[in-house]
Each structure stands twice: as C-alpha cells, then as structure tokens.
Amino acid sequence: MNIVLLGAPGAGKGTQAAKLVEKFGFAHISTGDMLRAAVKNQTPLGLEAKKYMDAGDLVPDEVVIGLVKERLQDEDTQAGFILDGFPRTSTQAVALDSELSGLNRPLNAALLVDVDKEVIIKRLTSRRMCRDCGFIGTETDATCPKCGGEMYQRSDDNEETVRNRLDVYENSTTPLIDYYRGCELLVEIDGDRDPEEVFANIQDVLGF
Ligand code: AMP
C-alpha cells in the first residue's frame, strides 16, 4: 500500500508512520528525517537545507523532490511506502504523481491527521526526540523509553519557529487537502486522541 500522510507539523504523522511501518513493514519516507540526517552529516545538501529548517521555512522544492525520487528507487519501497512530510506544496504533489505514474505505483490513500492549532503548539514545544532511534516523546521522558538514548529538543520546536511552521503549513500545504480530495484519495482522521486510538482508526479506514 502506498500512502501519503498529511497534517500539520506535530499532528502525529511521525508517530503513526512508525506504527504503520512496524506493523505492516512499509518503507518510511520522511523528508524531515532525511534532511536532519543530511544536516547532521554536514553534506552540501544538509548545509543548504539547515537555514530553511532552522527558520521553519520549506526547503526548496527541487531539493526535496530529488531526495524522494531517489528514495523511491530503493528496493524496500516496492512493498509499499508511507510518505511522511512530503508532499508539502502543490509542485511537490504534482511531481510525486508524475514520478509514481512513471513507476506504475499509484497512491492508495492520502491520510489527513487533523489536530487543532493550539493543541499542536503545546505538543510541539514539549516534544522531545531520541538522538539514536528517532523515537518521539515528551519533556517528561528523561531518556528514550525505547532504546535508552538521549532525548533532545529539535531546534525548530521553539514557539516562534513552531508558529512560523504552522503558517507555512496553512499557506503551502493545506491546498493539498483539496487536491487529494479531488483525486478521491483523501481520508480524514481525528488526531486529537491517544496515539493508539488514532492508529486503530487508521487501520480501520485502510481496511486492515
Ligand atoms: P518535519 O520533520 O517533517 O517537520 O520537517 C522539518 C523541516 O524540514 C521542515 O520545517 C522543513 O524545513 C523541512 N522539510 C521537510 N519536508 C519538507 C518538504 N516536503 N518540503 C520542504 N521542506 C521540507
């Protein structure tokens, strides 16, 4: 199954993607994770992307489209994939359609994880991530509950950057909701619930 996960930053896309990957073995394609890895490794692409990410702005379309196209060539994506954080603009959505139709691997669903803006601001500013395994927790997790690694706050999870990321989401990414509704792929999920409940709902609507 090939799925796009839509939703504001902090809506829980990463958490739900991890659950889908663990249970069904889909490949997880998170452009945010790929870009953070490039920043950590100080690659030329990472150095270029960092300034946009630190400000909460979008990295240029051609950069992320190139990353995703390359990733879709990997063998593990053949068994199905979850795109998490991509597409984020209409240009990216159109490029994705054209790539997938060239590969003859169409999308099965665009899942919108919907959460109220003020809830998101609280969630993101208290969010912590594991440096080793990427587990997403909260400020109450002194160490990673999954692997014991060090938890840290993403540099773009401060309130000012979070507000900008939400504005960027509203302006650039929400038009994609109508785009996927028009393609009859949109499925809306209430994300303001316990992650296990959200996951059960997702499995239900996907027919698992
Ligand atoms: P995320 O982890 O998905 O919240 O992404 C973190 C940051 O990476 C975003 O605020 C953007 O700066 C950048 N980024 C991730 N995915 C994309 C994308 N599809 N298009 C442009 N920038 C992206």
Side-chain angles (χ1 to χ4, degrees):
M1 202 169 237
N2 303 326
I3 299 166
V4 160
L5 272 178
L6 292 174
K13 299 187 299 295
T15 302
Q16 296 304 324
K19 288 181 184 296
L20 285 162
V21 167
E22 196 178 338
K23 186 149 179 188
F24 301 107
F26 301 130
H28 183 193
I29 309 180
S30 158
T31 41
D33 285 351
M34 290 160 95
L35 290 166
R36 276 184 290 281
V39 170
K40 191 172 168 189
N41 295 327
Q42 300 194 324
T43 66
L45 188 150
L47 294 174
E48 161 76 7
K50 188 176 184 326
K51 53 180 188 276
Y52 298 99
M53 295 171 77
D54 281 347
D57 292 330
L58 293 182
V59 172
D61 283 333
E62 62 274 17
V63 174
V64 274
I65 290 170
L67 276 179
V68 171
K69 277 190 177 173
E70 209 178 299
R71 180 70 179 88
L72 285 169
Q73 301 303 316
D74 293 343
E75 189 60 36
D76 67 327
T77 63
Q78 294 283 351
F81 57 79
I82 312 285
L83 273 167
D84 163 11
F86 182 96
R88 262 178 157 97
T89 64
S90 303
T91 305
Q92 292 176 18
V94 170
L96 177 65
D97 276 354
S98 127
E99 184 68 10
L100 291 179
S101 88
L103 295 169
N104 202 16
R105 292 155 67 191
L107 286 176
N108 301 102
L111 283 180
L112 170 65
V113 184
D114 205 16
V115 180
D116 180 75
K117 189 170 171 175
E118 288 309 311
V119 174
I120 290 223
I121 291 171
K122 276 207 191 91
R123 266 194 199 178
L124 282 184
T125 50
S126 67
R127 177 164 79 172
R128 300 293 181 273
M129 209 176 202
C130 174
R131 246 185 234 292
D132 298 329
C133 75
F135 175 81
I136 301 159
T138 71
E139 58 197 350
T140 59
D141 297 312
T143 54
C144 175
K146 221 173 158 191
C147 76
E150 185 197 345
M151 299 295 282
Y152 78 106
Q153 181 175 37
R154 275 174 46 174
S155 56
D156 56 353
D157 276 349
N158 64 78
E159 184 159 345
E160 190 192 340
T161 311
V162 163
R163 286 195 184 272
N164 187 40
R165 287 163 67 202
L166 288 173
D167 286 346
V168 168
Y169 173 74
E170 245 159 59
N171 294 329
S172 304
T173 311
T174 52
L176 298 186
I177 297 172
D178 282 336
Y179 178 83
Y180 285 115
R181 190 177 282 124
C183 306
E184 298 188 353
L185 287 173
L186 188 76
V187 181
E188 294 181 64
I189 305 281
D190 173 9
D192 193 4
R193 292 177 292 170
D194 178 83
E196 286 305 330
E197 259 181 73
V198 177
F199 187 49
N201 192 186
I202 287 179
Q203 292 177 84
D204 224 30
V205 295
L206 292 180
F208 290 128

